[in-house]
Amino acid sequence: MVTNEHKKANKGVFLLACSDLELSATTIVAYYRLRFAIEFLFRDAKQHLGLTHCQSTREKQLSFHFQAVMMTLNLCLLENHLQGKTVCSPQDIKTDHFNTNWLQTIIANLELNAELIEMHPNYPKLLRMGRMAA
């Protein structure tokens, strides 16, 4: 049993099971944290990046698809890390890039002054429109 004393709101006792009796409690907790991090990676890859959408049944094509999705996920994580963000959502990154491209397309097609529009105080709001995390 492990006691969680890090967060005052979530204090409690957790029962973690492990078949290796030689592992210490802190090592088991570290493994569980890594396990959940891996599960979140696969969840994001499935929900936002199309991990399960490959229609091929050939091993080579499936391998390429899985590797491309995981590389895209790693690039999303890297982009968030470089921007200093702690919360990462591939959907938000896709939305950011879509919004940027969409606004640039509108500005170009309407022959507007891009510098003036980008200086407008509401421009950042438009870039964040549709994001899951604020």
Side-chain angles (χ1 to χ4, degrees), residues 108-121:
N109 283 320
L110 295 177
E111 299 175 0
L112 302 171
N113 186 343
E115 291 179 14
L116 287 176
I117 292 175
E118 290 171 4
M119 289 177 13
H120 194 280

Side-chain angles (χ1 to χ4, degrees), residues 15-93:
L15 180 63
L16 303 177
C18 181
S19 59
D20 188 348
L21 301 176
E22 302 296 319
L23 292 177
S24 67
T26 55
T27 304
I28 295 171
V29 169
Y31 286 168
Y32 267 87
R33 284 189 181 136
L34 291 174
R35 180 178 153 243
F36 283 113
I38 292 169
E39 286 184 16
F40 284 129
L41 290 175
F42 278 98
R43 180 207 61 190
D44 287 343
K46 286 169 66 176
Q47 285 182 355
H48 304 299
L49 300 175
L51 181 67
T52 59
H53 293 145
C54 184
Q55 296 182 0
S56 178
T57 57
R58 295 185 180 156
E59 183 181 350
K60 206 172 185 181
Q61 282 84 353
L62 286 169
S63 177
F64 176 81
H65 178 76
F66 296 151
Q67 290 179 33
V69 169
M70 290 303 180
M71 181 194 64
T72 304
L73 182 59
N74 282 324
L75 290 174
C76 289
L77 293 170
L78 176 64
E79 183 174 335
N80 261 15
H81 177 72
L82 294 175
Q83 293 177 357
K85 297 176 183 175
T86 55
V87 177
C88 178
S89 167
Q91 183 62 40
D92 285 346
I93 292 173

